[in-house]
């Protein structure tokens, strides 16, 4: 239904120009001016989702989305002028939404209808955002390719003909959906890189806020001391708008931060003249794909041309991040996932002899291989006699890593590097080698361990046409500063405005 597409979009199509992605900010202006209605917009996105073959969604809530859009239009007619009123978005299937299927990418929750709504989603609904549906993800957010989903893998819309690439993970469905124009923005979660790595693979802006910024209530727990919700968008300006709607103190999450509400858009346009950017040598080792290295170096030059000052800094313990994470995250997961036992909700084995047999069969049938691997590693690391050798040691490394950031931020305002060591890879190429898969998050995990805000922005393309992400890490609670640098960079470059080949196909269908 191109007739109901926003006008700027249609005209670009008619002029046969490359279609640049439509942003939340542009849609917001068109909704405000009355050029389009939320119902029209929602219908368009629902149709695009239906036509898409990327497997980006696990479930689509067409009826409730249209009802929410109608309510938004009615509020708009009564004078409500909220910038996000009536904007459709997609949500990672890790967030509970009352009355909707919430699977977390797992068979064990294939029949779980959430009885309540996650605070992040409730906050967004309160501001009038429309929920299009729930996006595909690695099971319980464990993975970097979306190949660990019970609901099948997702295709990266940047795949070229003949080679199907992964969208990254675990928020792979959200990233593919936004990159393909199936939603203008989506929510994700990031425990070790699951917003930023798929953002890098799909040419999006991905923001992991400071730990505690967004409530974890109603977000299915993977590793509670690391999990954080955040947006996947085309631009930093959109990420700021979305974060405004997601963040906030919540008494139902004991780790939620009781800080005054902030407007994360307020510093977007500030000059970055004199901003000191730290370049840790540890993020530019010889293992880095040379094309990624040169793209990231060029991006850092662009920041310099805007007045930023680049300084060498050191994060000497960053090589310990991955080993520390792969003890702490599985340990917390083994505890969090013990609730999935077939008793109260979710899948239950049909045949069993006694209670213990029921637990065993339910969990054997319900969990996939990667989740089982993490539960076993985590249970081992927490077991009596091993706790001090593994879990306690990993927590000490975590402290060292956080201290490194504290020292680095005495010398610089933000830290930059590549988001991932290499661009998106073909389906199946790393599934047999868990360590190769884990290495995808080598640059993103340190920020999770230290609880810091971090973002990935599109920064260029390899010769094969694959997007590369620039990673920026900020001091605790400095999302506004982080978004300012990303926004200024995006004003200077147009990488984030390039549309995926898969998105154009969706549009012309
Ligand atoms: N890929 C990492 C893992 O598998 C991170 C996942 C995440 O951030 N949820 O644990």
């Amino acid at each position: 239904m191109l007739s109901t597409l926003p006008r700027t979009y249609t005209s670009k199509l008619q002029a046969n120009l490359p279609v640049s992605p439509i942003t939340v900010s542009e849609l917001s202006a068109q909704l405000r001016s009355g050029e389009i209605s939320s119902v029209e917009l929602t219908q368009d996105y629902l149709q695009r989702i239906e036509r898409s073959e990327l497997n980006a969604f696990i479930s689509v809530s067409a009826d409730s989305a249209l009802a929410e859009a109608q309510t938004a239009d009615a509020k708009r007619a009564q004078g409500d002028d909220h910038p996000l009123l009536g904007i459709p978005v997609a949500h990672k299937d890790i967030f509970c939404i009352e009355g909707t299927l919430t699977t977390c990418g797992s068979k064990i929750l294939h029949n779980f209808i959430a009885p309540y709504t996650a605070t992040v989603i409730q906050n967004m609904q309160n501001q009038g955002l429309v929920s299009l549906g729930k996006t595909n993800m690695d099971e319980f957010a464990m993975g970097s390719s979306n190949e660990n989903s019970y609901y099948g893998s997702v295709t990266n819309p940047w795949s070229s003909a003949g080679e199907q690439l992964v969208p990254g993970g675990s928020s792979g469905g959200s990233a593919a959906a936004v990159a393909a124009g199936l939603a203008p923005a989506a929510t994700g979660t990031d425990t070790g890189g699951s917003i930023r790595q798929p953002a890098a693979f799909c040419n999006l802006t991905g923001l992991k806020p400071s730990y505690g910024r967004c409530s974890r209530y109603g977000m299915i727990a993977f590793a509670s001391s690391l999990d954080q919700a955040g947006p996947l968008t085309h631009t930093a300006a959109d990420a700021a708008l979305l974060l405004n709607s997601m963040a906030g103190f919540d008494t139902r999450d004991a780790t939620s931060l009781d800080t005054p509400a902030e407007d994360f858009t307020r510093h977007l346009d500030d000059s970055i003249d004199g901003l000191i950017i730290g370049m840790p040598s540890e993020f530019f080792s010889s293992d880095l794909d040379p094309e990624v290295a040169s793209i990231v170096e060029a991006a850092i030059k662009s920041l310099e041309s805007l007045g930023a000052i680049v300084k060498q800094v050191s994060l000497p313990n960053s090589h310990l991040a991955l080993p520390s994470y792969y003890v702490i995250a599985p340990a917390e997961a083994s505890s969090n996932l013990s609730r999935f036992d077939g008793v109260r909700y979710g899948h239950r084995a049909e045949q069993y002899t006694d209670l213990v047999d029921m637990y065993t069969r339910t969990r054997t049938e319900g969990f996939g291989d990667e989740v089982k691997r993490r539960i076993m590693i985590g249970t081992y690391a927490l077991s009596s006699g091993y706790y001090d050798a593994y879990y306690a040691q990993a927590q000490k490394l975590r402290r060292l890593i956080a201290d490194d950031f504290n020292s680095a931020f005495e010398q610089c305002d933000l830290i930059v590097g590549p988001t991932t060591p290499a661009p998106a890879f073909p389906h199946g190429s790393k599934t047999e080698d868990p360590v190769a898969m884990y290495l995808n998050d080598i640059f993103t995990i340190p920020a999770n361990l230290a609880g810091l805000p971090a973002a990935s922005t599109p920064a260029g393309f390899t010769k094969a046409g694959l997007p590369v992400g620039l990673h920026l890490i900020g001091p605790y609670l400095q999302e506004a500063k982080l978004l300012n640098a990303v926004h200024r960079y995006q004003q200077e470059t147009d990488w984030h405005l390039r549309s995926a080949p898969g998105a154009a196909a969706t549009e012309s269908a």
Side-chain angles (χ1 to χ4, degrees):
M1 282 279 291
L2 293 181
S3 57
T4 55
L5 279 172
R7 195 160 301 143
T8 50
Y9 218 47
T10 340
S11 57
K12 276 177 192 159
L13 282 172
Q14 283 160 350
N16 229 1
L17 291 169
V19 184
S20 59
I22 190 110
T23 65
V24 170
S25 312
E26 286 168 321
L27 291 175
S28 172
Q30 290 171 351
L31 284 166
R32 271 178 158 166
S33 70
E35 207 174 324
I36 45 169
S37 70
S38 176
V39 167
E40 287 171 324
L41 199 55
T42 303
Q43 274 167 343
D44 278 330
Y45 279 113
L46 289 170
Q47 283 166 10
R48 292 181 213 184
I49 294 168
E50 206 175 300
R51 288 199 299 257
S52 165
E53 289 174 356
L54 301 174
N55 199 28
F57 282 78
I58 291 176
S59 58
V60 180
S61 336
D63 293 343
S64 58
L66 287 168
E68 287 166 27
Q70 247 161 17
T71 308
D73 285 337
K75 283 190 179 163
R76 174 88 54 197
Q78 285 158 14
D80 188 338
D81 203 28
H82 191 282
L84 294 174
L85 180 64
I87 301 279
V89 287
H91 295 301
K92 186 175 183 178
D93 203 20
I94 198 167
F95 292 101
C96 290
I97 303 185
E98 188 181 343
T100 70
L101 182 68
T102 300
T103 70
C104 216
S106 183
K107 179 179 177 184
I108 212 156
L109 289 177
H110 69 89
N111 56 358
F112 176 61
I113 307 292
Y116 64 98
T117 298
T119 301
V120 159
I121 307 297
Q122 190 62 60
N123 290 346
M124 296 175 88
Q125 288 179 348
N126 293 347
Q127 314 231 334
L129 283 142
V130 171
S131 312
L132 291 166
K134 311 291 287 296
T135 57
N136 205 336
M137 58 180 284
D138 282 302
E139 185 178 6
F140 288 104
M142 298 173 191
S144 304
S145 66
N146 218 121
E147 292 166 298
N148 297 336
S149 170
Y150 176 64
Y151 304 91
S153 26
V154 173
T155 303
N156 185 328
W158 287 91
S159 302
S160 51
E163 191 166 53
Q164 298 277 302
L165 302 174
V166 303
S170 64
S171 313
S174 286
V178 178
L182 311 181
T187 53
T189 60
D190 193 313
T191 303
S194 281
I195 290 175
R196 292 161 287 156
Q197 185 253 14
F201 280 15
C202 293
N203 205 45
L204 299 176
T205 303
L207 173 69
K208 181 201 91 72
S210 304
Y211 182 76
R213 258 304 176 203
C214 296
S215 168
R216 292 184 297 106
Y217 179 78
M219 185 173 108
I220 296 173
F222 163 11
S224 306
S225 75
L226 301 160
D227 297 343
Q228 185 55 209
L232 285 136
T233 55
H234 289 291
T235 64
D238 284 2
L241 278 173
L242 267 281
L243 184 60
N244 277 353
S245 72
M246 298 170 76
F249 176 57
D250 181 12
T251 52
R252 286 172 299 188
D253 170 7
T255 60
S256 160
L257 276 177
D258 193 359
T259 48
E262 272 186 54
D263 176 5
F264 296 101
T265 65
R266 72 191 187 286
H267 290 307
L268 283 177
D269 291 312
D270 289 3
S271 161
I272 60 164
D273 195 17
L275 186 83
I276 303 175
I277 291 190
M279 238 178 112
S281 49
E282 293 81 2
F283 288 177
F284 293 86
S285 72
S286 53
D287 299 340
L288 188 61
D289 177 300
E291 272 196 279
V292 171
S294 61
I295 288 169
V296 168
E297 278 155 21
I300 294 170
K301 289 252 170 341
S302 300
L303 289 166
E304 276 187 295
S305 72
L306 289 163
I309 300 159
V310 176
K311 197 167 174 176
Q312 292 292 327
V313 294
S314 182
L315 297 172
N317 293 297
S318 53
H319 65 289
L320 301 172
L322 208 63
S324 164
Y325 173 88
Y326 274 100
V327 172
I328 294 170
E332 295 184 12
S334 71
S335 166
N336 276 324
L337 270 57
S338 64
R339 74 194 64 179
F340 302 107
D341 56 9
V343 175
R344 285 159 296 179
Y345 45 78
H347 176 74
R348 180 186 294 178
E350 275 177 19
Q351 311 219 316
Y352 47 88
T353 50
D354 56 22
L355 184 63
V356 172
D357 190 45
M358 190 281 279
Y359 289 153
T360 309
R361 284 175 193 263
T362 295
R363 288 167 67 85
T364 304
E365 291 169 11
F367 290 136
D369 289 347
E370 182 62 28
V371 173
K372 285 178 186 156
R373 183 182 356 252
R374 307 269 182 124
I375 292 173
M376 286 189 284
I377 294 171
T379 307
Y380 182 83
L382 288 177
S383 57
S384 156
Y386 293 103
Y387 181 94
D388 287 336
Y390 295 104
Y391 190 73
Q393 286 296 100
Q395 292 289 21
K396 287 181 193 162
L397 299 186
R398 184 175 188 174
R399 183 70 258 159
L400 293 176
I401 289 156
D403 287 345
D404 281 357
F405 278 112
N406 290 338
S407 319
F409 283 128
E410 282 170 14
Q411 301 164 56
C412 65
D413 298 307
L414 298 174
I415 288 172
V416 283
T419 308
T420 60
F425 47 88
H427 279 148
S429 60
K430 294 190 201 284
T431 38
E432 299 308 313
D433 184 350
V435 175
M437 191 67 92
Y438 297 170
L439 282 167
N440 266 283
D441 300 304
I442 192 157
F443 300 130
T444 47
I445 281 175
N448 298 80
L449 291 170
L452 303 175
S456 181
T457 176
F461 293 85
T462 63
K463 287 189 197 75
L466 298 182
V468 169
L470 174 75
H471 190 217
L472 293 101
I473 307 173
Y476 190 52
L477 300 184
Q478 303 271 343
E479 285 85 349
K481 187 184 273 181
L482 192 61
L483 289 164
N484 167 222
V486 179
H487 178 70
R488 293 306 300 236
Y489 173 75
Q490 292 181 350
Q491 299 293 97
E492 199 61 20
T493 54
D494 67 356
W495 309 115
H496 61 292
L497 298 177
R498 313 272 176 106
S499 259
T506 308
E507 292 315 321
S508 58

